[in-house]
Amino acid sequence: GGEGDDMKKRTLECEERCHVTWSMRSRAMIEGLVDTRGGITKVVTPSGRHGEVWGGGGAVKVLSWIEVERETLKSNVEATRKLLKDNVRLCAVIKGNAYGHSLIPAAKALEEAGVDYLGVDSLEEGVALRHAGIQIPISILYWSDPWAAPLMARHRLQPTAWELGWVAAAATALAAE
C-alpha cells in the first residue's frame, strides 16, 4: 500500500494501544495526520476519511467521533423542508462549534443544502462564518454585548434581545459609530 495506507495502519495501531483518538490541533497525533492552516485543521479519521475541524487550540482527547456525510445532510434538509408549510423558514442551529461537528464545514454544507438561516451561540461564531464566506442570515442565539452592535451590523448578524435596555444600548452604540 501507499503512504496513506501506512498512516491509516499507524493510526489504528495507536488507537488500539491507547484506546483513544486525538483530534484537532494535538501534536500528540501521529505525525503527518494533522495539517493546520489558519483556523481550519485537516484531519484523517480512524476510518480513513479526510475532513476539516474548526476551533480552538490545544490537545483534545476524544473518546468518540462522528462522520457527517454532506449528501446525507442535504437529504435530511430536503426531508425536513417537505414537512414544512411553504411560508415557514428553516433554521439550522449549529451553536457550540456545530455541537462539536465543526462549525465552518457544517455551515457550508447546510448553506449548500438550502437552509434559510443559521443559529450560532456567539458573536465570534457568527463572525467566523462570515469570514468563511457564509452568506445566508445568521442569528446569535445567546446574549451578546449591545456595544458590539456595530460589529454585528457590519457582519450582518442578527442578535437576540431579551430586554428593552439591551435594544437602547445597541441603538446608542450604532448611533455613536
Side-chain angles (χ1 to χ4, degrees), residues 12-23:
L12 295 174
E13 287 171 357
C14 175
E15 287 173 15
E16 197 171 286
R17 263 192 332 269
C18 305
H19 303 288
V20 295
T21 61
W22 296 85
S23 83

Side-chain angles (χ1 to χ4, degrees), residues 7-8 11 29 32-34 42-51:
M7 281 195 285
K8 183 176 177 182
T11 302
M29 193 172 193
L33 294 183
V34 176
K42 305 285 184 184
V43 297
V44 179
T45 66
S47 66
R49 291 190 180 180
H50 294 264

Side-chain angles (χ1 to χ4, degrees), residues 145-157:
D145 189 331
W147 300 103
L151 181 62
M152 290 179 233
R154 277 194 300 277
H155 290 285
R156 301 178 341 271
L157 302 173

Side-chain angles (χ1 to χ4, degrees), residues 165-176:
W166 189 98
V167 174
T172 301
L174 287 165

Side-chain angles (χ1 to χ4, degrees), residues 67-175:
E67 296 177 11
V68 179
E69 296 178 354
R70 283 179 177 263
E71 288 306 311
T72 302
L73 186 61
K74 183 178 178 181
S75 173
N76 289 345
V77 168
E78 290 170 0
T80 302
R81 179 128 357 246
K82 287 179 184 176
L83 298 173
L84 302 175
K85 293 184 180 186
D86 290 339
N87 62 343
V88 175
R89 294 175 58 192
L90 180 59
C91 174
V93 177
I94 57 171
K95 61 189 178 116
N97 194 25
Y99 296 93
H101 298 107
S102 259
L103 181 71
I104 292 170
K108 287 181 178 180
L110 288 162
E111 183 176 46
E112 289 171 13
V115 299
D116 297 304
Y117 64 107
L118 300 169
V120 298
D121 72 2
S122 65
L123 175 61
E124 293 80 8
E125 283 190 341
V127 170
L129 291 178
R130 289 295 185 226
H131 284 282
I134 300 298
Q135 296 299 311
I136 60 176
I138 299 171
S139 291
I140 301 171
L141 301 177
Y142 291 135
W143 182 89
S144 53
D145 189 331
W147 300 103
L151 181 62
M152 290 179 233
R154 277 194 300 277
H155 290 285
R156 301 178 341 271
L157 302 173
Q158 303 167 359
T160 300
W162 283 275
E163 60 185 22
L164 289 177
W166 189 98
V167 174
T172 301
L174 287 165

